[in-house]
Amino acid sequence: MPTKKKPQAIPAPERRGELLATAAEVFAAQGYNATTVRRIADAAGMLAGSLYYHFDSKESMLDEILSTFLGELWEGYDAVLGAGLGPRETIEALVTESFREIDRHRAAVAIYQKEARHLAAQPRFQYLVESQERFEKAWLGTLERGVADRTFRADLDIRLTYRFVRDTVWVAASWYRPGGRHSPEEIARQYLSMVLDGIALRR
Amino acid sequence: MPTKKKPQAIPAPERRGELLATAAEVFAAQGYNATTVRRIADAAGMLAGSLYYHFDSKESMLDEILSTFLGELWEGYDAVLGAGLGPRETIEALVTESFREIDRHRAAVAIYQKEARHLAAQPRFQYLVESQERFEKAWLGTLERGVADRTFRADLDIRLTYRFVRDTVWVAASWYRPGGRHSPEEIARQYLSMVLDGIALRR
Amino acid sequence: MPTKKKPQAIPAPERRGELLATAAEVFAAQGYNATTVRRIADAAGMLAGSLYYHFDSKESMLDEILSTFLGELWEGYDAVLGAGLGPRETIEALVTESFREIDRHRAAVAIYQKEARHLAAQPRFQYLVESQERFEKAWLGTLERGVADRTFRADLDIRLTYRFVRDTVWVAASWYRPGGRHSPEEIARQYLSMVLDGIALRR
Amino acid sequence: MPTKKKPQAIPAPERRGELLATAAEVFAAQGYNATTVRRIADAAGMLAGSLYYHFDSKESMLDEILSTFLGELWEGYDAVLGAGLGPRETIEALVTESFREIDRHRAAVAIYQKEARHLAAQPRFQYLVESQERFEKAWLGTLERGVADRTFRADLDIRLTYRFVRDTVWVAASWYRPGGRHSPEEIARQYLSMVLDGIALRR
DNA sequence: AATGAATGAGCATTCATTCAT
DNA sequence: CATGAATGAATGCTCATTCAT
């Protein structure tokens, strides 16, 4: 947790961040719907009603958690996509960036995995749909470039391949624990090795 | 599926099955907790209270859906595991069987993915834990055999590899729609090709 | 339970009686409100809905149980009250008759004790109020006669005495089990001895 | 009683007490099962859900009402039983204490009378059984001492006598209204006179 | 900033009752 | 006579949210 908040006057935006981190952890552990505002408040050491001084609603906490996460994710992705790398290097960089993101925002990623689909139906979470579309465009485009320049195999259904790679990376958030045996970079390397070269021994 | 039953003298135990299929569909679409008994009843064309003539509780519907699914899954898996196949053929058969299961029980698989973790804490759903342990033993054992006999690569963390393969297969339930472009067997073949040989073109 | 019902044709009024006895037993054991129609049906070996062939409603079962009991009770009481006995002999006869009634209709008496007060508010059970009024008149009148002719003590509040005697007798239904150690007449004798002469040893 | 609280800074734990008194009154009047949480809330001038801010459940209200009552009852009883009185004086003191308790906790006593038997089956209300056993031991023991020292008659079945005295006292709660014509002590005196010496005039 | 108390809508579940067969 | 299936109103309870202090 960040520094001690200053005695007074200043709005203490850090408090927001702390509370959101707490909320994200609980949402990830119990699921958004199953999480009561009271449990978040308990975890934050306050009463349920007090959260409403900081946030409009339970939903707006979720909103802020997800949009903050997606903001940072796209910062990283955009840097990769704008770097002019080849298809294979782009995939490698995106996967590595993804595992770093899982490391930094594990709770947010887990929430995203569980809740994105049904949240996407609400206007408020329209940006989830947009993000997903950009996401698909970036990955699918890279795979297509790779097939075209013979980096990737041409005999696979490309949408199936896209889903394979995408899922393969992100589900890791469901078991990944920051500070565990493997660093995000190490996990990325192993995953890339499996995705690119397969698990069968080459002869 | 909520097709109206024919105006004949249908035996009745089928009614249970119909209702469970309806419930599974709704659970899969909205999540177990977010699904109200009323919505299930709506989908079944009856009133909420009427469901309780057939089932003890919302939870017992979930229970019956999951245990039925796992029962059939293990029937298939046990046949594969008892067939005396080599590691690669075993993995191929398990993956194919899994996609067939996704095809037959898409809703149940989706529910399992979303809810298994927190349900496992309840005594009533202890069998989820047991199933998961058997599952892990079967897959991990096969991978280890494969590493030993040089079917699979020895340079990968084996637990990471297990998770990779496992997740890779089952998340497919989140996008798979029965009756779509690809048959389960076709999807299995493509997934196996990616998992075993990778997506990179071999030189 | 009575004789085997005849093969057909005749409406079998005995069946009603059997069912009412079953219902009374369950009402007495669990309380009227807490008793579900299903439990009565279970105890009678049929399904809940089937009871409605015999009775209009759960309430009408209760009604029939109570009115039958009160009918028999008043038959006995009226015989006593019309016999021209002295106050002490009247009290003795009423108490003895009451214990006989408890012996014959234990369930009904227990139900009466628990439910009469709040049932009395409903028009349908108006007869409970009337019965209670006749009851009070009979007992109070007898006690007053006894005070007047110096059979009973004059130094006691007569309404208090009435309640004392009345409650004393009827609560016995809450612990009395037919076929137990004491016959109704034996219990009546002991109660009368206590009520009339007290439990203290006379010097 | 639902008197509006004064517009001051009242400590708040009193609120619990007020609500419990209200609930007890309703339970006593309608029976525990027949009482809806909504009716209690109505009587307290709030909505049903609001009660759950103060209490865990309807059952825990009942629990608190009964255990509070029994706690105070045993405080009084223990003082009497520890005072080293003779059998007759002990009975007199217990009866007087009981009527005082009825005066103070009329609703709780009435609830106890109606519900204790079936509540006793639940583990949560085990203390009702224990209390009843201590109760029986105290009364039965006192009666036995009295028979031994020739204070009480030897020609009566002692268990029957116990039930007689016990019921005789406690049913009074069903008609007693605090603030009525007779003080608890006056009623106790009359009851004792009847129980000990009988209602028949001595010659 | 936070508390304590309350709101009100909604939920899973129960149950007396109905009715076609 | 009895069953199987359904109804619909009510019940205990939960929970996001509000607001005066």
Side-chain angles (χ1 to χ4, degrees):
Chain A
M1 307 293 152
T3 57
K4 284 279 159 214
K5 62 185 167 188
K6 316 221 172 79
Q8 32 172 201
I10 297 172
E14 304 131 16
R15 188 75 176 119
R16 258 188 112 72
E18 285 171 37
L19 292 173
L20 284 176
T22 304
E25 222 56 57
V26 188
F27 285 153
Q30 333 231 308
Y32 172 71
N33 275 308
T35 297
T36 70
V37 169
R38 177 126 102 220
R39 235 198 281 272
I40 300 172
D42 279 357
M46 50 169 52
L47 287 176
S50 308
L51 280 173
Y52 288 79
Y53 178 81
H54 301 276
F55 303 98
D56 285 347
S57 66
K58 182 182 162 187
E59 200 182 68
S60 77
M61 289 186 234
L62 177 63
D63 193 354
E64 201 162 332
I65 290 165
L66 290 178
S67 56
T68 300
F69 155 62
L70 284 179
E72 292 196 26
L73 176 70
W74 279 106
E75 233 175 277
Y77 268 34
D78 284 338
V80 168
L81 295 170
L85 304 172
R88 182 175 178 123
E89 289 71 28
T90 300
I91 292 290
E92 285 172 350
L94 288 179
V95 166
T96 304
E97 177 61 25
S98 298
F99 277 104
R100 285 206 188 101
E101 226 49 66
I102 291 174
D103 187 53
R104 260 202 298 273
H105 296 291
R106 198 197 93 267
V109 175
I111 296 167
Y112 183 90
Q113 293 289 107
K114 254 196 224 159
E115 320 286 353
R117 182 142 19 209
H118 72 264
L119 289 176
Q122 297 174 241
R124 170 171 207 169
F125 290 96
Q126 190 54 34
Y127 65 86
L128 293 177
V129 180
E130 288 154 21
S131 175
Q132 196 210 334
E133 281 163 3
R134 282 182 66 196
F135 196 91
E136 180 171 329
K137 205 166 296 175
W139 282 86
L140 218 48
T142 308
L143 286 173
E144 278 161 357
R145 270 202 297 143
V147 168
D149 76 357
R150 307 184 56 79
T151 303
F152 301 133
R153 295 165 57 186
D155 61 332
L156 297 171
D157 181 300
I158 198 136
R159 291 200 66 84
L160 222 51
T161 308
Y162 158 61
R163 286 184 184 130
F164 170 78
V165 180
R166 174 199 63 186
D167 294 345
T168 284
V169 170
W170 291 110
V171 244
S174 70
W175 54 260
Y176 181 72
R177 290 291 165 274
R181 222 181 8 231
H182 307 285
S183 72
E185 287 79 8
E186 165 65 13
I187 294 180
R189 194 149 31 80
Q190 294 236 9
Y191 260 63
L192 281 166
S193 179
M194 290 189 274
V195 166
L196 293 169
D197 301 324
I199 68 171
L201 190 65
R202 303 211 169 184
R203 293 152 200 290
Chain B
M1 313 300 140
T3 41
K4 285 285 159 209
K5 66 181 169 189
K6 293 133 202 160
Q8 299 178 320
I10 295 176
E14 299 176 8
R15 189 77 176 116
R16 256 187 111 75
E18 285 172 35
L19 292 173
L20 283 176
T22 303
E25 222 57 57
V26 187
F27 285 153
Q30 332 234 304
Y32 172 72
N33 276 308
T35 297
T36 70
V37 168
R38 277 217 237 305
R39 235 196 281 273
I40 299 173
D42 278 358
M46 50 168 49
L47 287 174
S50 308
L51 281 173
Y52 289 80
Y53 179 79
H54 301 276
F55 304 98
D56 284 346
S57 65
K58 181 182 162 188
E59 198 182 74
S60 78
M61 290 185 232
L62 177 62
D63 193 352
E64 200 162 331
I65 289 165
L66 291 178
S67 57
T68 300
F69 155 60
L70 285 180
E72 293 195 25
L73 176 70
W74 279 106
E75 232 174 279
Y77 268 35
D78 284 337
V80 169
L81 295 169
L85 305 172
R88 182 176 179 126
E89 290 72 28
T90 300
I91 293 289
E92 286 172 350
L94 287 179
V95 167
T96 304
E97 178 61 26
S98 298
F99 277 104
R100 284 205 189 100
E101 226 51 65
I102 291 174
D103 187 54
R104 258 203 298 272
H105 295 291
R106 198 197 94 269
V109 175
I111 296 167
Y112 183 90
Q113 291 292 105
K114 255 196 226 159
E115 320 286 353
R117 184 147 15 214
H118 72 264
L119 289 176
Q122 296 176 242
R124 169 172 206 168
F125 290 97
Q126 189 54 34
Y127 65 86
L128 294 178
V129 180
E130 287 154 22
S131 175
Q132 196 211 334
E133 282 163 2
R134 282 183 66 196
F135 195 91
E136 180 171 331
K137 205 166 295 175
W139 283 86
L140 217 47
T142 307
L143 287 174
E144 278 162 356
R145 270 202 297 143
V147 169
D149 76 355
R150 308 183 56 80
T151 301
F152 302 132
R153 297 165 55 184
D155 61 331
L156 297 170
D157 181 299
I158 196 135
R159 291 200 66 83
L160 222 52
T161 308
Y162 159 61
R163 286 182 183 132
F164 171 79
V165 180
R166 174 198 65 186
D167 293 346
T168 284
V169 171
W170 292 110
V171 247
S174 70
W175 54 260
Y176 182 72
R177 290 289 167 275
R181 214 169 27 217
H182 306 285
S183 72
E185 287 79 10
E186 167 63 14
I187 295 180
R189 193 148 31 80
Q190 294 237 8
Y191 260 62
L192 280 166
S193 178
M194 290 187 274
V195 166
L196 293 169
D197 300 323
I199 66 171
L201 189 66
R202 305 211 168 184
R203 293 148 202 290
Chain C
M1 307 293 150
T3 56
K4 284 279 160 213
K5 64 186 166 189
K6 312 214 174 84
Q8 34 174 199
I10 298 171
E14 304 130 16
R15 187 75 176 122
R16 259 188 111 73
E18 286 172 36
L19 292 173
L20 283 175
T22 304
E25 222 55 58
V26 187
F27 285 151
Q30 332 232 310
Y32 173 71
N33 276 307
T35 297
T36 70
V37 169
R38 178 126 102 221
R39 235 198 281 274
I40 299 172
D42 279 357
M46 49 170 51
L47 287 176
S50 308
L51 279 174
Y52 287 79
Y53 178 82
H54 300 276
F55 304 97
D56 285 346
S57 65
K58 181 183 163 187
E59 199 182 70
S60 78
M61 289 185 234
L62 176 63
D63 193 353
E64 201 162 332
I65 290 165
L66 290 178
S67 56
T68 300
F69 156 61
L70 284 180
E72 292 195 26
L73 176 69
W74 279 106
E75 234 175 276
Y77 268 33
D78 284 339
V80 169
L81 295 169
L85 304 172
R88 181 176 180 126
E89 290 72 27
T90 301
I91 292 289
E92 286 172 349
L94 288 179
V95 166
T96 305
E97 177 62 24
S98 299
F99 278 104
R100 286 207 188 101
E101 226 51 64
I102 290 175
D103 187 54
R104 258 203 298 273
H105 296 290
R106 198 197 94 268
V109 176
I111 296 167
Y112 183 90
Q113 292 291 106
K114 255 196 225 159
E115 320 286 352
R117 183 144 17 212
H118 71 264
L119 289 175
Q122 298 175 240
R124 170 171 206 168
F125 290 96
Q126 191 52 37
Y127 65 87
L128 293 177
V129 180
E130 287 154 20
S131 175
Q132 196 209 334
E133 282 163 1
R134 283 182 65 196
F135 196 91
E136 180 171 332
K137 205 166 296 173
W139 282 86
L140 216 49
T142 307
L143 287 173
E144 278 162 357
R145 271 202 296 143
V147 169
D149 77 356
R150 307 185 56 81
T151 302
F152 302 132
R153 298 166 54 187
D155 60 331
L156 297 171
D157 180 298
I158 196 131
R159 292 200 64 84
L160 222 52
T161 308
Y162 158 60
R163 287 183 184 131
F164 170 79
V165 181
R166 173 198 64 185
D167 293 346
T168 284
V169 171
W170 292 110
V171 250
S174 69
W175 55 260
Y176 182 71
R177 291 288 166 274
R181 219 177 14 224
H182 306 286
S183 71
E185 287 79 10
E186 166 63 13
I187 295 180
R189 193 148 29 80
Q190 294 238 10
Y191 261 62
L192 281 165
S193 178
M194 290 188 274
V195 167
L196 293 169
D197 300 324
I199 66 171
L201 190 66
R202 305 214 168 183
R203 295 150 201 292
Chain D
M1 312 300 144
T3 39
K4 287 284 158 211
K5 66 183 169 188
K6 293 134 204 162
Q8 300 179 319
I10 295 176
E14 297 176 8
R15 188 77 177 117
R16 255 187 114 73
E18 285 173 35
L19 292 173
L20 283 176
T22 303
E25 222 56 57
V26 187
F27 285 153
Q30 332 231 306
Y32 172 71
N33 275 308
T35 297
T36 71
V37 168
R38 284 202 212 337
R39 234 197 282 275
I40 300 173
D42 278 357
M46 50 169 47
L47 287 174
S50 308
L51 280 174
Y52 289 81
Y53 178 78
H54 301 276
F55 304 98
D56 284 346
S57 64
K58 182 183 161 186
E59 198 181 73
S60 78
M61 290 186 231
L62 178 61
D63 193 353
E64 200 161 332
I65 289 165
L66 290 178
S67 58
T68 300
F69 155 59
L70 284 180
E72 292 196 26
L73 175 70
W74 279 106
E75 232 174 276
Y77 269 34
D78 284 337
V80 169
L81 295 169
L85 304 172
R88 181 177 179 123
E89 290 72 28
T90 300
I91 293 289
E92 286 172 351
L94 288 179
V95 166
T96 305
E97 178 62 26
S98 299
F99 278 103
R100 286 205 189 101
E101 227 51 66
I102 291 174
D103 187 53
R104 260 203 297 271
H105 296 291
R106 198 197 94 267
V109 175
I111 297 167
Y112 183 91
Q113 293 290 106
K114 254 196 227 159
E115 320 286 353
R117 184 147 16 213
H118 71 264
L119 289 176
Q122 296 174 242
R124 170 172 206 167
F125 291 96
Q126 189 54 33
Y127 64 86
L128 293 178
V129 179
E130 286 154 22
S131 175
Q132 196 211 333
E133 283 163 1
R134 283 182 66 196
F135 196 90
E136 181 171 332
K137 206 167 292 175
W139 283 86
L140 219 48
T142 307
L143 287 173
E144 278 163 356
R145 271 202 297 144
V147 168
D149 78 355
R150 307 184 56 80
T151 302
F152 302 132
R153 297 166 54 186
D155 60 332
L156 297 171
D157 180 302
I158 197 140
R159 292 199 66 84
L160 222 53
T161 308
Y162 158 61
R163 287 183 184 129
F164 170 78
V165 181
R166 174 198 65 186
D167 294 346
T168 284
V169 171
W170 291 109
V171 243
S174 68
W175 55 259
Y176 182 73
R177 292 290 167 273
R181 220 175 16 225
H182 306 286
S183 72
E185 287 79 10
E186 167 63 14
I187 295 181
R189 193 150 32 80
Q190 295 237 9
Y191 260 63
L192 281 165
S193 179
M194 290 188 274
V195 165
L196 292 168
D197 301 323
I199 67 172
L201 190 66
R202 302 210 171 186
R203 290 150 204 291

